[in-house]
Amino acid sequence: QVQLVESGGGLVQAGGSLRLSCAASGSIFSIGDMGWYRQAPGKQRDLVAFITPGGSTNYADSVKGRFTISRDNAKNTMWLQMNSLKPEDTGVYFCNAQTVYRSDTYPRYRPLELWGQGTLVTVSS
């Protein structure tokens, strides 16, 4: 099995902080770009931040300066540090990874996009 497992969501007051984690497991050969998406109640799922294998990052304007995305390639893990949280940050956060996994059949190595199960972040005012 190849999968992404998320954790770290919860309830926090405005101005507080949370740290989300996303760990990939299974027969993964490599992981390319990784990102965090957010789906607020009644809205579509939008990209919050992404990070390349080399550590280059980009952020949505709404979180720039408050959120920090990071990764550890050796551990196949990604984090999202969220500071100065606002009520509008509320939503389900999903991690995403572009991967290559090893198959038992040919072609041995195949691309696979993975999604985490989502973790709920609620910011109260």
Side-chain angles (χ1 to χ4, degrees), residues 37-114:
Y37 289 75
R38 178 173 66 202
Q39 188 163 23
K43 297 184 178 180
Q44 67 180 34
R45 187 178 302 183
D46 293 322
L47 180 67
V48 175
F50 73 86
I51 184 168
T52 70
S56 297
T57 61
N58 211 339
Y59 300 88
D61 289 340
S62 62
V63 307
K64 197 168 298 182
R66 300 186 297 118
F67 290 10
T68 302
I69 188 172
S70 60
R71 65 189 289 171
D72 186 333
N73 293 335
K75 297 181 178 180
N76 290 337
T77 302
M78 174 181 63
W79 298 269
L80 184 67
Q81 179 66 47
M82 304 184 294
N83 298 325
S84 302
L85 283 163
K86 304 175 181 180
E88 49 263 44
D89 295 320
T90 293
V92 179
Y93 286 71
F94 298 88
C95 64
N96 171 272
Q98 306 296 319
T99 76
V100 173
Y101 76 98
R102 179 176 171 82
S103 173
D104 292 334
T105 60
Y106 289 101
R108 289 285 193 231
Y109 298 94
R110 310 183 185 191
L112 177 65
E113 183 180 36
L114 298 177

